[in-house]
Amino acid sequence: MFKAKVSTHMEVAVPPDQAAADPRDHSKGLFDEKVPAQEIVPSPKLFQDVVQRQWVQPGTLATLVDNPVPLGEEFGSWKTGAELLDEFSDQSLSHMCPEIKPKPRTFSRQRLPNQMLFCYTQKITEGMEPDVTLDCLGYEWELHRMYLFKSHVLSQLLAEAVQDSYSPNTRSILKSKKGTRCYKCCLLLGHKHDEVCQQKEKLPKVNIALKISDEDVTRFAFAVALKYMYNSESEVNEEDVLGILAAAEVLQFPSLFLKCIQVMKNSICPINVCSYYTAGCKYKQPSLIAVCERWTEVNLVPQLGTHISLRDLPLELLQKVLKSPRLFTINEFYLLRTALYWVFLQQNPKIQIIPSYDTILTYFSSLPKTCAFLEREEGQHYMAIFQSLRLHGITSSKLTFFCDYSADLNFVLENGGDMAFQTDFNTQAVRFGLMLKEEPRYHAEVISIYGFFFELKAVKHDASAYSFYMKRIRHADPIISYFTADRSPVNLQKEREVKYEIKAQCQIDGKWEEFTTERLTQNFGVKKPSSKSKVRKNQKKFTNYLKTCSVINSGMRIKLQ
């Protein structure tokens, strides 16, 4: 109180020393001073115009400058508290609150597979918010339940996750209609039961988890499989088809699984035939296994035999192909060379470039000479491979580090070429073959066996007709190269009884077909007409041979009697 009186200078004695220092008249109170009648405050002209407009009509409240509303009307439009409560009770809270739009998600420049999938699903669903979160492979995949019915595994997980949210009456209705299958249909497809539809609209976001132990399922392949649920016309890349196939198998996604199998059948090449065959065996797909085996029968020598992927060829597949009657080869030596390449790659798994044939011979020749390679412990594992070969048909090379078959060869030569030890035509006849190209019109291959020379010939008549035959030629015929004539033995018999069979294999509309003369026996002389066999003519429309310039290959099995 004292301080207040001091501040207002009311009835308070001021000490003399302070009064001398302060010249003001302290007898007058603070509130006794005269208030100025008008004070000029500087303001912008725009503000002055607004104030002047308001003062023109002092009885109005200007909501808009140009359209003033009388205060009486403004007060009349206001609502009482009771009226506001009644209106609030009739409206839902969702209509009263402003809609809050979620902020768009931003991802880094190098997006993860689940982020790429989210961006794709947002385009497909036109921005629909995901209602299922799948925890798998260390990522959270945001999905929409209406698309999960294509996967048996995901639909089952979703059904188990949300079935507790239904009332007991609803679950009894669903389970009475053919059990879980109808339940999932009603849940995922929205089939028309009122209570189910109402419950589905009220379902919160569901979290499900899936554990995958298959190492072939990559995160990228899993994202592609989930993407296929939203768009069944999505393309399956050949480079990622194995991972997508594994993901489709884990998710139990039949349509995607079959599409992957079809892509694999149409894209077989030396790089992937071994992995495709392994996948076919893993997932028990006989059709894929058959296609891989058929491709290997035709291309083991021409393509796979000189490719580094030969290392991945399974032992059982190689052995089965070598015993196949449809196996194509230039001659028996090419099969032996392919087998040597395969064994070398098995013994040297770190080799990344296919070596030359001389390098392989040097490797095997450098091994200790105590015994043959196939008689050693590490070589006995490959014994079945070389037992499938027809080494008696190889007369131009001696491979003593494997086995010694020179005694049988000398016996045949001394007996005029009679193959007395070879009694089974299907498994012991010597094989020869040639690959036909679109040009030129004639194709021929000279073969030499035990001192006899034959020419296997194919003639192209038009775009869809070929004829095949073989004939005996003299050892001095100009068609025989100097290298062959100089190093091959010569038999001067005028006639030679030969049992033979000519086969032609071609690809028609993506499928391999075979034409054969069946097994024939004929005495071949050195003069016409006995020197020429019967002509086999095929008139079919051939497609490209495995995307190369060749359209057909033919082979001959021959046995001298």
Side-chain angles (χ1 to χ4, degrees), residues 41-55 65-66:
V41 179
S43 62
K45 184 175 184 305
L46 177 63
F47 178 74
Q48 294 179 4
D49 295 340
V50 173
V51 175
Q52 290 294 335
R53 291 179 184 177
Q54 294 290 336
W55 287 352
V65 175
D66 298 331

Side-chain angles (χ1 to χ4, degrees), residues 349-365:
K350 295 183 179 180
I351 296 293
Q352 299 298 324
I353 301 177
I354 196 80
S356 64
Y357 181 65
D358 292 338
T359 303
I360 293 180
L361 292 181
T362 303
Y363 168 78
F364 286 110
S365 300

